[in-house]
Amino acid sequence: MKKTLFSLAFAALFGAATTNVSAQAMMSPKSAAGNTVSVGGQAMYPNKNIVANAVNSADHTTLVAAVKAAGLVETLQGKGPFTVFAPTNAAFNALPAGTVETLVKPENKATLTKILTYHVVAGNLTADKIMAAIKAGKGTATLKTVSGGTLKAMMNGPKNVVLVDEKGGTSTISTYDVLQSNGVIHVIDKVLMP
């Protein structure tokens, strides 16, 4: 019951990604409508902010619920720009049993906030900018997160960016450049840990 409520709340706030996309779709997710990208079965409009788009993605209901529980809705509706690495529901489901339910409890708000802000980088880092930074760093780019931590970005093939968290966990970007009015979202397949 708690997990269902959490998922519903999360969906209401932050949804932005489609998994199992081709490499071409990952690099060119734009639809015939211009810069609009389909994520979680819904259009993500570049003239809307991160939260306004995220709440529509069926693939990010857990993330949306967590953002609400952490009190980050107003922040992610702000001017930005922000680059958000958005874990899918499947990424949250891969965490040890009970992790999500524990994190969304009011007494764990500080920990949840740190984990969520670890998925956010100040600025508008499109895929091209991330890949250019990796190339300039001779194979690795260090990204400073809003939480104060760092992520390492590396290439795994010609068009596949992998993020490595401070605990050594890895996550792959499955959908790139979901443009927003206040930044960009990249969908990832694992939850990153500070």
Side-chain angles (χ1 to χ4, degrees):
M1 176 72 173
K2 287 182 183 178
K3 189 170 186 174
T4 301
L5 291 175
F6 181 72
S7 294
L8 290 174
F10 202 70
L13 166 71
F14 202 94
T18 299
T19 56
N20 301 323
V21 294
S22 69
Q24 182 180 3
M26 290 189 307
M27 296 307 298
S28 303
K30 297 174 184 169
S31 71
N35 291 330
T36 304
V37 178
S38 179
V39 174
Q42 296 296 318
M44 300 290 120
Y45 297 100
N47 63 335
K48 291 186 177 184
N49 67 47
I50 291 167
V51 174
N53 272 320
V55 298
N56 295 318
S57 171
D59 290 341
H60 292 88
T61 57
T62 304
L63 179 59
V64 171
V67 168
K68 285 183 176 183
L72 294 173
V73 173
E74 192 172 307
T75 300
L76 291 175
Q77 288 175 325
K79 184 177 179 181
F82 304 108
T83 299
V84 176
F85 297 104
T88 61
N89 292 342
F92 281 100
N93 290 339
L95 293 172
T99 301
V100 173
E101 293 81 1
T102 299
L103 286 172
V104 297
K105 291 181 179 178
E107 62 268 24
N108 296 321
K109 183 176 179 180
T111 301
L112 178 62
T113 300
K114 183 172 183 174
I115 291 170
L116 292 176
T117 57
Y118 188 67
H119 290 77
V120 181
V121 174
N124 196 353
L125 297 179
T126 60
D128 287 344
K129 290 178 184 176
I130 294 170
M131 290 181 206
I134 293 168
K135 185 176 181 181
K138 298 183 179 163
T140 305
T142 300
L143 308 176
K144 181 85 169 169
T145 70
V146 172
S147 73
T150 57
L151 292 169
K152 300 283 186 194
M154 297 177 280
M155 299 301 298
N156 181 17
K159 295 183 179 184
N160 188 32
V161 175
V162 174
L163 301 171
V164 181
D165 65 28
E166 292 174 353
K167 296 197 181 298
T170 61
S171 184
T172 300
I173 298 176
S174 60
T175 303
Y176 295 82
D177 295 339
V178 185
L179 303 178
Q180 317 288 299
S181 66
N182 62 342
V184 61
I185 292 173
H186 302 290
V187 178
I188 59 175
D189 65 353
K190 300 279 189 258
V191 176
L192 300 162
M193 290 297 182

